[in-house]
Amino acid sequence: MSTSMVALLVAVVGVLGTLTSGLLAQRSAGKTKLLELQYAQHQSATDREEARRQARLEARRACYVLLNQAVRQHQAVLSKAIASLQRHDLHEYIEEVNSALKAQRDTYAQAQMVASDGVMEAANHALDRLNRLAALVRQYADGYRSESVHDDAQALDAEAQDAVDALLRRMRSDLGVTGSQPEGL
C-alpha cells in the first residue's frame, strides 16, 4: 500500500468517524431525553397517587371526626336520660335523643362510603348498643315500667361506653394515629 492510499484511507476513516460521532451523540442524547421523560411521567404518576392517597386519608379523617362527635353526642344524651330515669322526667330528653340519633345515622351513612371494614364493624357494634339503649329510654318515656329498667339501662350504658371507646381506638388505628399501619392505604 502506498502512502497516498494510506492517507486516503485515514482521511475516509476520519470523516466517517466524525460523521458517526455526531450520530452517536444525537442518539445518546435522544435516549437520555427519553429516560428523562419516562422518569418525569413516573414521578408525576407517583405524585398523583400520593395526592389521591392523602385525599382518601383526609376524607376518612373528616368522616371519623363527624362520626365520633355524633356517637359521643348520642351517648351523652342517653346518659343524661338514664340519669333522669329515677326522677321520671324523661320527656324533656326524648326530642334530644331523637335528634342525636338522626345526627348519628347521617354520619353513619357517610362513614359507610369511606370507612374501612374494621371501623364499620366497630361502628355497627357501638351503634347497636346505643340504639338498644335509646329504645329502652323511649319505652320508659312511653310508660313502660320495670323494676330492673334502671339497672338494665346502666348496664347497657356501660356496654355502649365500652363499644364507643373501641370504635374510637379502631378509627385512630385506621388513621395510623396509634402507630399501627392503617387499612387500605
Side-chain angles (χ1 to χ4, degrees):
M1 221 178 207
S2 73
T3 54
S4 61
M5 275 302 259
V6 172
L8 181 61
L9 188 58
V10 169
V12 168
V13 170
V15 168
L16 286 176
T18 302
L19 292 175
T20 306
S21 70
L23 290 174
L24 290 176
Q26 183 179 6
R27 185 173 178 204
S28 176
K31 282 185 178 180
T32 302
K33 186 68 171 174
L34 180 63
L35 288 174
E36 287 174 2
L37 287 174
Q38 288 173 340
Y39 176 76
Q41 288 174 342
H42 174 71
Q43 188 62 39
S44 178
T46 302
D47 291 346
R48 281 191 307 273
E49 182 55 37
E50 177 61 24
R52 280 194 288 273
R53 189 193 68 75
Q54 193 63 31
R56 284 191 306 269
L57 180 64
E58 288 303 319
R60 225 180 242 183
R61 180 178 287 125
C63 176
Y64 290 175
V65 166
L66 292 175
L67 182 61
N68 186 48
Q69 288 172 341
V71 167
R72 297 242 179 233
Q73 178 63 29
H74 192 206
Q75 182 185 20
V77 168
L78 287 170
S79 293
K80 285 194 300 188
I82 290 168
S84 69
L85 278 176
Q86 292 177 325
R87 296 187 312 265
H88 305 292
D89 60 352
L90 276 177
H91 293 288
E92 67 182 81
Y93 292 107
I94 292 304
E95 187 175 321
E96 211 176 334
V97 167
N98 290 336
S99 176
L101 177 61
K102 182 185 179 322
Q104 170 201 297
R105 285 181 178 158
D106 290 345
T107 57
Y108 179 78
Q110 182 183 2
Q112 287 177 314
M113 298 298 122
V114 296
S116 68
D117 291 341
V119 169
M120 289 310 300
E121 285 178 27
N124 288 335
H125 182 70
L127 298 182
D128 176 64
R129 297 301 179 264
L130 290 172
N131 290 337
R132 288 171 51 195
L133 187 56
L136 183 66
V137 167
R138 273 192 230 94
Q139 286 175 347
Y140 192 82
D142 290 342
Y144 169 76
R145 299 292 187 262
S146 164
E147 299 224 357
S148 66
V149 72
H150 192 265
D151 292 336
D152 293 345
Q154 286 183 329
L156 268 175
D157 191 33
E159 286 179 33
Q161 177 65 47
D162 291 344
V164 168
D165 290 344
L167 172 60
L168 177 61
R169 284 190 306 275
R170 185 64 197 180
M171 287 188 293
R172 288 175 54 84
S173 173
D174 192 56
L175 291 172
V177 175
T178 58
S180 62
Q181 178 64 31
E183 289 181 24
L185 295 180

